[in-house]
Amino acid sequence: MALGRASKSAFHTKLNPSGVGLKAIFSSDIDYWEVLDMTEVVEEAYELVDDGLITEADFRDFVFAKPASFHAETNPDFFKGTAVDGAVETLLSP
């Protein structure tokens, strides 16, 4: 899986300058011709956790917290009325 091995470096603060984590966000060409079963895309991304490359907390940040923050910071109403509206509101509340 191309996603996995490169993405892990964003979470390894010992490898990054000044010990910072990068704000990597999950994205996928889910509609690309090579994706035979779109239900497996996130499952394959979770292999990062299964293989011990990142933690479950890192994975949550990767697929939810960082993308949600990215969109909501530029447009606070981006998720209004969606299935994740409440979860995003909770995430962003102080």
Side-chain angles (χ1 to χ4, degrees):
M1 176 173 79
L3 158 80
R5 306 300 172 200
S7 300
K8 71 175 182 166
S9 62
F11 301 95
H12 288 275
T13 55
K14 291 180 182 178
L15 300 176
N16 297 331
S18 301
V20 299
L22 304 178
K23 292 186 176 185
I25 61 173
F26 175 76
S27 70
S28 172
D29 292 337
I30 200 165
D31 62 341
Y32 192 63
W33 66 272
E34 283 185 311
V35 178
L36 301 177
D37 184 350
M38 71 171 61
T39 65
E40 294 180 1
V41 172
V42 175
E43 181 181 333
E44 285 195 32
Y46 194 81
E47 289 176 8
L48 291 166
V49 178
D50 290 339
D51 294 343
L53 300 173
I54 65 173
T55 66
E56 286 189 8
D58 290 336
F59 185 77
R60 180 183 181 276
D61 286 348
F62 186 50
V63 299
F64 172 67
K66 290 179 182 173
S69 296
F70 173 79
H71 290 291
E73 286 173 5
T74 57
N75 178 0
D77 294 329
F78 187 87
F79 294 101
K80 295 293 182 204
T82 69
V84 297
D85 184 3
V88 173
E89 188 174 320
T90 300
L91 171 72
L92 299 176
S93 63

